[in-house]
Amino acid sequence: MKLFYHKIYCKKRSIALLLALTLCLAVVLGGCKKEEEPQPPPEPEDPNFPVELNLREKTVTIGEKPTAVVSLSPAITNTLLDMGMEEALAGVSQYCLSLPGAQGLQNCGTAQNVDLEAVKALAPQILFTDTPLLSQQLTALYQMNVEVVEITRPESIGAIEERQLLLAQALYGKEEGFQRGRAYQKQYHSRWEDIMEPLARWSQENNSLTAILLAYSNTTMATGDTFEGSLLEQMGFINLGNSGFNWQYQPKEGESLSPEIIFYNSALEEEAIAASEFYKESPAVAQGRLYPVEWQNIHLQGENMLKELEAMAREYYPEAFTASGENSVEDTQPSGDDAPPQETEQEEGDAPQEE
């Protein structure tokens, strides 16, 4: 019996000893555990990037502020220069190289024939274009991690201003880009209204003159479906080319137009227009109302377009501005070296080509 109790006693003692050892071990190990180091606070969110650009056919996301971009559109390049946003501009189309501020940039070909090696060497984050690229070029640019941002050529003043905002946000992001873009938009729109409001008031009280805008030949003119044709109407002229389509006016047999004013591409010869069978009997020729227009100033849709439009309006509706006491666009424009050129080469597909 004593032996039996002794065994029970020893067993209980062993269990107690084991529990004590386990407790000691837990205390020792717990004392050796390192204190967790405090975690650094999370990085503040970038208020500008990523930014989404809502284009006509798709949405493009720009993940971070670009350090290098390429523009294959003379109008987009010109807009960036006008807006003072050329700091990241590393390469341009060959048709942009005569623009002040773009001469020293890398020639990256054209939208129809992109120089992929030149683009690759620049390692841009964005390539701007207003002309669709070939599918194989898009694939190659995708493999280079280049985001292609296609902004369709605007066909209204509102669309021009929308392009300005898109470019600003692509380069500077949601908040900063919006602020920069809106500031420039207001400046640009104010200049536009300085031209159009006096003309609108004048045209309500006076007869409008009939006019045409010749591009490259006697029948290649700004038609009713073109941006340039709409400009004539907004300026208070009656555009006799309205019934044409896609820059082509198709006269009936023996027909001749009788505009009171002929605006024409300065690359054309005034004497040839005046002597043509189509216009020689027109009031414009009889009264010497033929006015050359710097074509690229209109085509690039920038600040020089506004100057050109104002010059056209003041030439034939001077009373509209005299009566209103309006200052000229040039009077309100800040000086600088970023003004676009008087003329640049023309990119294929952007405007009518000479036959």
Side-chain angles (χ1 to χ4, degrees), residues 322-351:
T322 304
S324 64
E326 296 287 343
N327 293 326
S328 69
V329 169
E330 191 162 359
D331 292 337
T332 61
Q333 181 167 324
S335 60
D337 298 327
D338 292 332
Q342 294 300 306
E343 187 170 349
T344 63
E345 294 184 54
Q346 184 162 306
E347 184 164 2
E348 181 183 350
D350 285 340

Side-chain angles (χ1 to χ4, degrees), residues 71-73 76 111 127-133 148-152:
S71 169
L72 296 182
S73 161
I76 289 177
L127 183 145
F128 293 114
T129 179
D130 56 15
T131 303
L133 305 185
V148 176
V149 176
E150 181 187 333
I151 304 176
T152 306

Side-chain angles (χ1 to χ4, degrees), residues 5 56 92 95 100 143 146 168 173 192 198 210-211 253 267 301 313 354:
Y5 283 113
R56 179 173 294 184
V92 293
Y95 299 117
Q143 292 171 347
V146 178
W192 166 260
T210 58
E253 186 176 352
Q301 301 178 326
E354 185 174 7

Side-chain angles (χ1 to χ4, degrees), residues 38-59:
Q39 296 296 317
E43 291 287 333
E45 289 188 8
D46 187 339
N48 294 309
F49 293 94
V51 61
E52 290 187 350
L53 306 179
N54 295 316
L55 306 179
R56 179 173 294 184
E57 296 184 356
K58 66 176 182 177
T59 298

Side-chain angles (χ1 to χ4, degrees), residues 195-208:
I195 302 167
M196 295 301 164
E197 286 183 357
L199 292 174
R201 290 193 294 267
W202 178 258
S203 62
Q204 289 176 357
E205 302 172 1
N206 299 273
N207 293 328
S208 298

